[in-house]
Amino acid sequence: MEKRGGFKSKFGLIAAVGGSVVGLGNIWRFPYLAGENGGAAFILVYVIICFLISVPIMISEFSIGRAGQSNVVNSFRKVAPKTKWELVGLLGVVASFVMLSFYCVVAGWSLEFLKTSFMNGFAGQGSEEIKEGLTSFVNSGWRPLMWTGIFIVATCGVVFLGIEKGIERYSKIMMPMIVLILLGMFFYSFTMDGFKEGVSFLLSPDFSKITPKVILQALGQSFFSLSLGMGAMITYGSYIKKETDLSKLASTISLTDMCVAILSGLAIFPAVFSMGISPTSGPDLVFITLPGVFNQMPGGYFISIIFFFLLFMAAITSSVSMVEVVTSYLREEFKIKRFWGILITGVVVLFTGSLSALSQIEGSSLTLFGMNYFDFFDMISGTYLLPLGGLLTVIFVGWFLKPEIFRNEVTSFGMYKVRLLPVVRFLIKFVSPVVITLLFLSLLGII
Ligand code: TRP
């Protein structure tokens, strides 16, 4: 079998894990969900969930991976031999495929927008025209298909180059740059008419908007954004050195990710209101808003190119982590070469990704439960699969995993004194399972 790589430097580790978590989830999905779910109320719930539920789950996933030293499925098998828990790992592999099937399509949009920015194709366009442009792009069928395909090939290429060379190198430079541009846009938005309205939409919560569905969506989004519930952090955990402080790493990563998401909301909503776009526009929201903002900004031509390029890079460092989950599983479980694992994954995702791109054509018959495949994959993974994966993970760690294994990982075998350990245990054992279960039950109409 091929040797497992590992992260060489601390910064490389943060960059790669950061690269996985910061992605379309922050910049595309978070703003559109916040817009659909009442803005500030959603964000408040989101932040609470990140601290109370997601950080402990991330610590749990890292621990399973680092203790298991293997792919998702085998890590579960190693820490809980001869049990059925490895099926949770398998669920993660399935979820990765579902996620990739729509993630690559949106990533493809960022490439189309990059191309259009480059050709100055948005110049002088208002939100209506940008929206029409997006619609005709999506309806053309072959263009989204092409970009989706290109993105998938690029992702597989990066994974093929190997863990540190492929992933670390890019993330180090790109991550801070994205934050800078978003910050710039936020400051620029001070000058917009919609600034007040946008900021108050994001920051003054209307508590009547908080329903179980909103909470479950916030939970799903938090998992989505932090790459939880499908084994990505278990897979990455297996590459983390024994001396790394897992709880510190999980807190740093989560905090960064949350800030990037909120920052991108702050950069986008003032423009949404200034341009008279509906905050409930759904998955199109960010794509129809941004070019309009760049049009007004000084130097917008260049900023637009840089932004969509960075969005593409942010997407690729994330899609790479999803592919990594699948290929490390295929490679180690079926003893196939890295290349074949990547090829198989790529071909399957090319197929499912194409279906979801084509399903967006108006009147397409590629639908499931009254939604096109794209929306269905987005919804089923974000609202159900990831929360389910997270739920099973906390139940496992809280109730079935030997407590010493968890303690040894979290404290790095006694190297760190984690004062909050009892609190983390409590959150994992009781709070997370109860909250997630109640949410599922209420969504299914049982309570
Ligand atoms: N977190 C990424 C984003 O915000 C998406 C992602 C990458 C992901 N890997 C994942 C989500 C694994 C869940 C599981 O764009």
Side-chain angles (χ1 to χ4, degrees):
M1 199 182 329
E2 290 169 60
K3 194 174 138 288
R4 293 180 69 78
F7 295 112
K8 296 227 176 67
S9 68
K10 195 162 172 192
F11 191 68
L13 166 68
I14 301 221
V17 180
S20 164
V21 301
V22 175
L24 298 172
N26 308 63
I27 298 166
W28 159 73
R29 204 168 183 271
F30 176 82
Y32 105 69
L33 284 180
E36 280 182 344
N37 292 302
F42 178 84
I43 297 182
L44 184 71
V45 176
Y46 178 80
V47 170
I48 297 175
I49 285 175
C50 277
F51 284 114
L52 294 187
I53 298 184
S54 306
V55 173
I57 295 189
M58 189 179 279
I59 300 175
S60 307
E61 290 204 8
F62 282 153
S63 304
I64 296 172
R66 198 169 64 178
Q69 283 297 304
S70 192
N71 64 75
V72 227
V73 175
N74 199 36
S75 285
F76 271 105
R77 195 181 294 141
K78 285 226 192 118
V79 292
K82 303 203 188 66
T83 62
K84 293 261 174 289
W85 286 104
E86 62 182 82
L87 292 177
V88 181
L90 211 56
L91 179 75
V93 175
V94 173
S96 303
F97 274 115
V98 179
M99 297 266 306
L100 278 165
S101 312
F102 73 92
Y103 202 86
C104 294
V105 176
V106 185
W109 292 9
S110 71
L111 286 172
E112 165 76 13
F113 275 58
L114 173 61
K115 186 206 82 183
T116 312
S117 303
F118 195 72
M119 293 167 46
N120 208 8
F122 293 118
Q125 292 194 345
S127 60
E128 275 307 308
E129 287 154 293
I130 298 168
K131 192 175 167 142
E132 273 163 31
L134 180 60
T135 311
S136 82
F137 162 68
V138 165
N139 277 305
S140 76
W142 68 272
R143 279 157 67 205
L145 214 58
M146 175 186 79
W147 289 124
T148 304
I150 291 178
F151 183 79
I152 294 168
V153 172
T155 300
C156 292
V158 173
V159 179
F160 184 68
L161 293 178
I163 190 100
E164 60 281 299
K165 278 190 247 84
I167 304 174
E168 286 177 29
R169 196 184 287 166
Y170 302 109
S171 321
K172 284 183 202 178
I173 326 157
M174 306 291 166
M175 290 245 310
M177 269 172 77
I178 293 199
V179 172
L180 275 182
I181 295 203
L182 287 174
L183 263 180
M185 289 171 60
F186 172 58
F187 287 121
Y188 178 73
S189 74
F190 282 54
T191 65
M192 294 181 184
D193 315 331
F195 178 71
K196 268 221 183 95
E197 213 180 331
V199 170
S200 86
F201 179 75
L202 290 184
L203 301 180
S204 39
D206 169 0
F207 292 98
S208 67
K209 292 257 166 65
I210 302 178
T211 60
K213 177 102 196 282
V214 169
I215 307 178
L216 190 60
Q217 292 224 335
L219 179 88
Q221 171 57 21
S222 171
F223 289 5
F224 186 106
S225 195
L226 292 171
S227 309
L228 298 175
M230 52 170 261
M233 292 300 133
I234 295 180
T235 307
Y236 271 180
S238 71
Y239 300 121
I240 299 177
K241 281 203 252 132
K242 286 285 174 201
E243 304 83 66
T244 302
D245 182 346
L246 295 183
S247 44
K248 201 166 128 205
L249 178 67
S251 325
T252 318
I253 293 285
S254 308
L255 201 66
T256 313
D257 185 70
M258 216 167 61
C259 291
V260 178
I262 294 177
L263 184 62
S264 86
L266 286 170
I268 282 156
F269 277 98
V272 166
F273 287 99
S274 307
M275 292 160 61
I277 298 170
S278 160
T280 57
S281 299
D284 291 356
L285 182 76
V286 173
F287 284 91
I288 52 186
T289 313
L290 290 172
V293 185
F294 295 134
N295 269 342
Q296 297 170 15
M297 283 170 86
Y301 171 74
F302 294 103
I303 301 180
S304 178
I305 295 176
I306 299 174
F307 182 86
F308 287 112
F309 176 70
L310 292 176
L311 189 60
F312 157 67
M313 292 309 295
I316 209 165
T317 50
S318 300
S319 60
V320 154
S321 81
M322 298 183 223
V323 169
E324 184 67 33
V325 173
V326 183
T327 54
S328 60
Y329 164 72
L330 291 177
R331 197 166 77 225
E332 294 171 0
E333 293 293 299
F334 300 98
K335 311 267 182 289
I336 53 178
K337 282 238 174 335
R338 191 172 176 84
F339 174 78
W340 294 109
I342 297 171
L343 192 71
I344 294 171
T345 313
V347 170
V348 174
V349 176
L350 264 178
F351 178 68
T352 53
S354 303
L355 285 180
S356 82
L358 293 176
S359 77
Q360 292 190 304
I361 297 179
E362 244 170 66
S364 156
S365 55
L366 299 171
T367 56
L368 276 170
F369 302 101
M371 275 177 264
N372 66 40
Y373 284 8
F374 176 92
D375 290 334
F376 179 76
F377 291 152
D378 183 352
M379 192 274 305
I380 196 80
S381 55
T383 314
Y384 294 95
L385 287 178
L386 302 184
L388 182 65
L391 173 64
L392 294 171
T393 306
V394 277
I395 294 179
F396 171 67
V397 172
W399 298 91
F400 295 91
L401 180 69
K402 284 203 194 86
E404 314 81 273
I405 297 186
F406 184 65
R407 193 178 333 108
N408 286 340
E409 287 306 328
V410 176
T411 61
S412 290
F413 289 85
M415 243 173 94
Y416 302 104
K417 287 215 166 38
V418 182
R419 264 176 289 124
L420 288 179
L421 191 59
V423 180
V424 174
R425 276 217 75 99
F426 179 77
L427 291 171
I428 291 174
K429 233 176 140 110
F430 301 102
V431 178
S432 306
V434 170
V435 173
I436 305 176
T437 308
L438 286 180
L439 287 172
F440 271 132
L441 293 180
S442 81
L443 204 70
L444 296 173
I446 298 173
I447 51 166

